Amino acid sequence: MYVIFVVAIVALLVVADWETIQRNFFNAELAREMFPDVLTIAARNTILYTVLAFSFGLGFGLLLALMRLSSIAPYRWVATLYIEIFRGLPALLTIFLVGIGIPIAFGTRWPTLVTITLGLGIVAAAYMAETIRAGIEGVPKGQMEAARSLGMSYTWAMISIIIPQGFRIIIPPLTNELVLLIKDTSLLFVIGTTPATKELLKFGRDLLNTNANATPLIVVGAVYLMITVPLTQLVRILERRNARSR
């Protein structure tokens, strides 16, 4: 198997048209022209949109998780319905609905950041809600019983004891959700952008169309990896730490 692998690599090196590949995928001059805008505009916007959507999704997801765990049946029904709907719908459809469908229906236009935050955050909240619920349920029941025996109310025990411990359990999957949101920002091109609000993929795609060259996509892909790879490594570190603590 090692010999087959080496032979395949050598054959690829011999057969490939490296001049064409270099010209169309690794054009150094075109890559230099993308800087610093690819970082100061596209990457900055991508990170900003991710932070806004993640913050909204985390807050709303916590609320949904608590509704799922509530003893009041209508709260559980509403939260379950929301989670099942938005986990089942494509994120692109939700972005279309928030960014185009609702404004057309009501004859209004939301600020760009509001549209982006809702478009991505609504879907993220559905996934985070289930993650947060699993984390809360993973806290031993004795923690709540001990808090109540000390005279704490149920609400204060949840806020000060159960939820913090639950979040410690779910930090790795929440970090994974952050990575997914970074990549989902590439769907925002469907709602239209201005030169100042382009995210990474839209920035690279426009240059691809202008220059008929795939180098911008390679550069944009490298910037995505610069953002996501450290986060995925952080997830692995956190998972190992959690495993050792358990």
Side-chain angles (χ1 to χ4, degrees), residues 110-126:
W110 293 337
T112 301
L113 290 181
V114 173
T115 302
I116 290 170
T117 301
L118 293 178
L120 292 175
I122 284 173
V123 177

PDB file of all heavy atoms in Angstrom, residues 110-126:
ATOM      1  N   TRP A 110     -34.737  46.064   7.222  1.00  0.00           N
ATOM      2  CA  TRP A 110     -33.956  46.110   8.445  1.00  0.00           C
ATOM      3  C   TRP A 110     -32.518  46.511   8.151  1.00  0.00           C
ATOM      4  O   TRP A 110     -32.028  46.294   7.042  1.00  0.00           O
ATOM      5  CB  TRP A 110     -33.962  44.740   9.114  1.00  0.00           C
ATOM      6  CG  TRP A 110     -35.294  44.315   9.626  1.00  0.00           C
ATOM      7  CD1 TRP A 110     -36.334  45.139   9.959  1.00  0.00           C
ATOM      8  CD2 TRP A 110     -35.746  42.981   9.850  1.00  0.00           C
ATOM      9  NE1 TRP A 110     -37.401  44.401  10.391  1.00  0.00           N
ATOM     10  CE2 TRP A 110     -37.076  43.071  10.336  1.00  0.00           C
ATOM     11  CE3 TRP A 110     -35.178  41.726   9.694  1.00  0.00           C
ATOM     12  CZ2 TRP A 110     -37.817  41.970  10.667  1.00  0.00           C
ATOM     13  CZ3 TRP A 110     -35.911  40.615  10.037  1.00  0.00           C
ATOM     14  CH2 TRP A 110     -37.216  40.726  10.514  1.00  0.00           C
ATOM     15  N   PRO A 111     -31.820  47.067   9.140  1.00  0.00           N
ATOM     16  CA  PRO A 111     -30.377  47.319   8.970  1.00  0.00           C
ATOM     17  C   PRO A 111     -29.642  46.019   8.649  1.00  0.00           C
ATOM     18  O   PRO A 111     -30.052  44.937   9.081  1.00  0.00           O
ATOM     19  CB  PRO A 111     -29.954  47.881  10.337  1.00  0.00           C
ATOM     20  CG  PRO A 111     -31.211  48.445  10.918  1.00  0.00           C
ATOM     21  CD  PRO A 111     -32.316  47.567  10.435  1.00  0.00           C
ATOM     22  N   THR A 112     -28.571  46.123   7.908  1.00  0.00           N
ATOM     23  CA  THR A 112     -27.840  44.941   7.454  1.00  0.00           C
ATOM     24  C   THR A 112     -27.400  44.048   8.605  1.00  0.00           C
ATOM     25  O   THR A 112     -27.557  42.817   8.561  1.00  0.00           O
ATOM     26  CB  THR A 112     -26.602  45.362   6.638  1.00  0.00           C
ATOM     27  OG1 THR A 112     -27.019  46.144   5.521  1.00  0.00           O
ATOM     28  CG2 THR A 112     -25.833  44.141   6.146  1.00  0.00           C
ATOM     29  N   LEU A 113     -26.872  44.647   9.661  1.00  0.00           N
ATOM     30  CA  LEU A 113     -26.383  43.846  10.782  1.00  0.00           C
ATOM     31  C   LEU A 113     -27.526  43.111  11.483  1.00  0.00           C
ATOM     32  O   LEU A 113     -27.349  41.989  11.963  1.00  0.00           O
ATOM     33  CB  LEU A 113     -25.624  44.723  11.779  1.00  0.00           C
ATOM     34  CG  LEU A 113     -24.265  45.257  11.306  1.00  0.00           C
ATOM     35  CD1 LEU A 113     -23.607  46.093  12.396  1.00  0.00           C
ATOM     36  CD2 LEU A 113     -23.342  44.114  10.894  1.00  0.00           C
ATOM     37  N   VAL A 114     -28.689  43.734  11.553  1.00  0.00           N
ATOM     38  CA  VAL A 114     -29.851  43.066  12.163  1.00  0.00           C
ATOM     39  C   VAL A 114     -30.268  41.867  11.324  1.00  0.00           C
ATOM     40  O   VAL A 114     -30.532  40.772  11.843  1.00  0.00           O
ATOM     41  CB  VAL A 114     -31.026  44.051  12.312  1.00  0.00           C
ATOM     42  CG1 VAL A 114     -32.280  43.325  12.782  1.00  0.00           C
ATOM     43  CG2 VAL A 114     -30.663  45.165  13.288  1.00  0.00           C
ATOM     44  N   THR A 115     -30.329  42.055  10.010  1.00  0.00           N
ATOM     45  CA  THR A 115     -30.696  40.966   9.111  1.00  0.00           C
ATOM     46  C   THR A 115     -29.722  39.804   9.231  1.00  0.00           C
ATOM     47  O   THR A 115     -30.129  38.635   9.310  1.00  0.00           O
ATOM     48  CB  THR A 115     -30.723  41.468   7.656  1.00  0.00           C
ATOM     49  OG1 THR A 115     -31.654  42.543   7.540  1.00  0.00           O
ATOM     50  CG2 THR A 115     -31.116  40.351   6.706  1.00  0.00           C
ATOM     51  N   ILE A 116     -28.437  40.105   9.250  1.00  0.00           N
ATOM     52  CA  ILE A 116     -27.413  39.064   9.341  1.00  0.00           C
ATOM     53  C   ILE A 116     -27.488  38.348  10.681  1.00  0.00           C
ATOM     54  O   ILE A 116     -27.423  37.104  10.755  1.00  0.00           O
ATOM     55  CB  ILE A 116     -26.026  39.681   9.130  1.00  0.00           C
ATOM     56  CG1 ILE A 116     -25.864  40.112   7.666  1.00  0.00           C
ATOM     57  CG2 ILE A 116     -24.922  38.723   9.534  1.00  0.00           C
ATOM     58  CD1 ILE A 116     -24.639  40.944   7.398  1.00  0.00           C
ATOM     59  N   THR A 117     -27.639  39.110  11.763  1.00  0.00           N
ATOM     60  CA  THR A 117     -27.702  38.511  13.094  1.00  0.00           C
ATOM     61  C   THR A 117     -28.890  37.569  13.218  1.00  0.00           C
ATOM     62  O   THR A 117     -28.758  36.439  13.724  1.00  0.00           O
ATOM     63  CB  THR A 117     -27.797  39.609  14.167  1.00  0.00           C
ATOM     64  OG1 THR A 117     -26.653  40.468  14.077  1.00  0.00           O
ATOM     65  CG2 THR A 117     -27.861  39.006  15.555  1.00  0.00           C
ATOM     66  N   LEU A 118     -30.053  37.994  12.725  1.00  0.00           N
ATOM     67  CA  LEU A 118     -31.234  37.148  12.805  1.00  0.00           C
ATOM     68  C   LEU A 118     -31.143  35.960  11.849  1.00  0.00           C
ATOM     69  O   LEU A 118     -31.492  34.826  12.205  1.00  0.00           O
ATOM     70  CB  LEU A 118     -32.488  37.970  12.501  1.00  0.00           C
ATOM     71  CG  LEU A 118     -32.858  39.046  13.525  1.00  0.00           C
ATOM     72  CD1 LEU A 118     -34.089  39.814  13.064  1.00  0.00           C
ATOM     73  CD2 LEU A 118     -33.119  38.416  14.888  1.00  0.00           C
ATOM     74  N   GLY A 119     -30.667  36.221  10.622  1.00  0.00           N
ATOM     75  CA  GLY A 119     -30.614  35.154   9.629  1.00  0.00           C
ATOM     76  C   GLY A 119     -29.769  33.982  10.071  1.00  0.00           C
ATOM     77  O   GLY A 119     -30.155  32.818   9.899  1.00  0.00           O
ATOM     78  N   LEU A 120     -28.611  34.257  10.636  1.00  0.00           N
ATOM     79  CA  LEU A 120     -27.745  33.192  11.119  1.00  0.00           C
ATOM     80  C   LEU A 120     -28.090  32.765  12.545  1.00  0.00           C
ATOM     81  O   LEU A 120     -28.038  31.582  12.875  1.00  0.00           O
ATOM     82  CB  LEU A 120     -26.281  33.643  11.075  1.00  0.00           C
ATOM     83  CG  LEU A 120     -25.648  33.843   9.698  1.00  0.00           C
ATOM     84  CD1 LEU A 120     -24.239  34.395   9.843  1.00  0.00           C
ATOM     85  CD2 LEU A 120     -25.605  32.532   8.928  1.00  0.00           C
ATOM     86  N   GLY A 121     -28.451  33.732  13.377  1.00  0.00           N
ATOM     87  CA  GLY A 121     -28.674  33.441  14.792  1.00  0.00           C
ATOM     88  C   GLY A 121     -29.897  32.600  15.061  1.00  0.00           C
ATOM     89  O   GLY A 121     -29.912  31.793  16.000  1.00  0.00           O
ATOM     90  N   ILE A 122     -30.948  32.744  14.251  1.00  0.00           N
ATOM     91  CA  ILE A 122     -32.168  31.965  14.455  1.00  0.00           C
ATOM     92  C   ILE A 122     -31.884  30.467  14.325  1.00  0.00           C
ATOM     93  O   ILE A 122     -32.369  29.649  15.115  1.00  0.00           O
ATOM     94  CB  ILE A 122     -33.249  32.414  13.447  1.00  0.00           C
ATOM     95  CG1 ILE A 122     -33.839  33.756  13.887  1.00  0.00           C
ATOM     96  CG2 ILE A 122     -34.352  31.377  13.303  1.00  0.00           C
ATOM     97  CD1 ILE A 122     -34.793  34.363  12.887  1.00  0.00           C
ATOM     98  N   VAL A 123     -31.114  30.112  13.305  1.00  0.00           N
ATOM     99  CA  VAL A 123     -30.768  28.697  13.113  1.00  0.00           C
ATOM    100  C   VAL A 123     -29.794  28.234  14.190  1.00  0.00           C
ATOM    101  O   VAL A 123     -29.941  27.146  14.759  1.00  0.00           O
ATOM    102  CB  VAL A 123     -30.172  28.476  11.711  1.00  0.00           C
ATOM    103  CG1 VAL A 123     -29.752  27.027  11.532  1.00  0.00           C
ATOM    104  CG2 VAL A 123     -31.177  28.865  10.639  1.00  0.00           C
ATOM    105  N   ALA A 124     -28.791  29.064  14.484  1.00  0.00           N
ATOM    106  CA  ALA A 124     -27.803  28.689  15.497  1.00  0.00           C
ATOM    107  C   ALA A 124     -28.460  28.460  16.848  1.00  0.00           C
ATOM    108  O   ALA A 124     -28.068  27.551  17.597  1.00  0.00           O
ATOM    109  CB  ALA A 124     -26.740  29.778  15.609  1.00  0.00           C
ATOM    110  N   ALA A 125     -29.469  29.264  17.178  1.00  0.00           N
ATOM    111  CA  ALA A 125     -30.148  29.128  18.466  1.00  0.00           C
ATOM    112  C   ALA A 125     -30.796  27.761  18.607  1.00  0.00           C
ATOM    113  O   ALA A 125     -30.801  27.167  19.704  1.00  0.00           O
ATOM    114  CB  ALA A 125     -31.195  30.226  18.616  1.00  0.00           C
ATOM    115  N   ALA A 126     -31.360  27.233  17.515  1.00  0.00           N
ATOM    116  CA  ALA A 126     -32.024  25.931  17.571  1.00  0.00           C
ATOM    117  C   ALA A 126     -31.023  24.830  17.916  1.00  0.00           C
ATOM    118  O   ALA A 126     -31.310  23.935  18.728  1.00  0.00           O
ATOM    119  CB  ALA A 126     -32.713  25.636  16.241  1.00  0.00           C
TER     120      ALA A 126
END
